[in-house]
Amino acid sequence: MHSYQKLAYLLIAVPSAYVAAFLPASSSTSLFSSFVAAAAPTTSCASSTQSEMPKEQSIPRWYQHEVTITAPSRGCHLITLDVNKAIKDDLPNIKIGMANLFIQHTSASLTINENADPDVRRDMEMALNKIVPASWNHDGTFRHTMEGDDDMPGHVKSSLMGPSLNIPIRNGRLALGTWQGIYLNEHRDQGGWGGGHSRNIIITLQGTS
């Protein structure tokens, strides 16, 4: 800012009674007007530029789906294709967002792990069985044993692995890594009171387009 512009701002802020103390009476009015005119275009131009800048608009999107998946047996099962099929119509509408998957059961769980070698899923099941062995139903470790040897271990495994997942959405796709897949972990032989292995999963998508 030039010195005369600074002086103009100073003069605007100072009561007119004091202007005469700084400038001769014959020239105070004309000089004051000149200073104000010199400063005004700069302020006006900046305001005009800011008001005319385009603002990018993003539209919030929310979708929810429920999918029922039947696990063929106890163990860890890859369900990425099932999830993508359930949300294929809405997922492309979201540029940046988050997908939440929530399983509505206490003896099954969700996790993310390798999607290539099926031995990984077999080894995951073996590891879970060693972490929470069925023998705890008979050695006094567990009291909740009336529903079978796979029931209470299934509850523990469900809490260890977790009932939900959050996956980022990027440019209309789940932002999974190259070797990442979504697992449905079925922890029971009989599938609970239902007599099978059908599991309900709620999928909620949120983000902007």
Side-chain angles (χ1 to χ4, degrees):
M1 182 180 290
H2 296 292
S3 58
Y4 66 83
Q5 292 176 312
K6 294 181 180 179
L7 182 57
Y9 285 122
L10 176 62
L11 293 176
I12 292 172
V14 175
S16 59
Y18 294 94
V19 174
F22 295 96
L23 297 174
S26 60
S27 61
S28 62
T29 302
S30 60
L31 286 176
F32 184 80
S33 300
S34 299
F35 290 145
V36 172
T42 302
T43 305
S44 175
C45 181
S47 301
S48 176
T49 301
Q50 292 176 359
S51 63
E52 293 176 2
M53 291 180 63
K55 295 182 179 180
E56 183 177 352
Q57 298 292 330
S58 59
I59 302 174
R61 305 280 187 178
W62 285 85
Y63 306 99
Q64 192 169 80
H65 300 268
E66 180 176 353
V67 58
T68 300
I69 299 176
T70 301
S73 63
R74 174 171 156 175
C76 302
H77 305 278
L78 193 62
I79 62 167
T80 310
L81 292 178
D82 300 270
V83 172
N84 277 320
K85 182 179 179 180
I87 60 178
K88 63 181 178 63
D89 293 333
D90 297 326
L91 188 59
N93 297 327
I94 299 177
K95 184 177 181 181
I96 299 175
M98 189 70 68
N100 174 266
L101 282 67
F102 180 81
I103 191 166
Q104 297 180 301
H105 302 276
T106 60
S107 55
S109 62
L110 300 171
T111 193
I112 292 176
N113 219 297
E114 182 174 324
N115 61 11
D117 188 353
D119 284 344
V120 173
R121 300 192 289 277
R122 178 262 181 197
D123 292 347
M124 288 280 288
E125 171 65 12
M126 293 296 292
L128 288 171
N129 291 336
K130 289 183 178 296
I131 293 170
V132 191
S135 61
W136 286 358
N137 287 290
H138 305 285
D139 64 6
T141 302
F142 291 149
R143 294 182 179 179
H144 180 77
T145 59
M146 66 182 71
E147 296 178 47
D149 285 351
D150 60 349
D151 182 56
M152 190 60 217
H155 292 319
V156 177
K157 294 171 186 176
S158 176
S159 288
L160 289 175
M161 302 297 281
S164 65
L165 298 173
N166 287 320
I167 304 173
I169 300 172
R170 183 172 57 191
N171 295 325
R173 301 182 64 181
L174 296 178
L176 291 166
T178 301
W179 305 110
Q180 286 184 319
I182 303 170
Y183 283 18
L184 164 62
N185 308 306
E186 175 56 64
H187 302 307
R188 297 214 62 184
D189 293 317
Q190 302 300 321
W193 295 108
H197 296 286
S198 294
R199 301 302 193 180
N200 298 325
I201 300 173
I202 303 296
I203 307 171
T204 304
L205 309 178
Q206 58 175 309
T208 58
S209 59

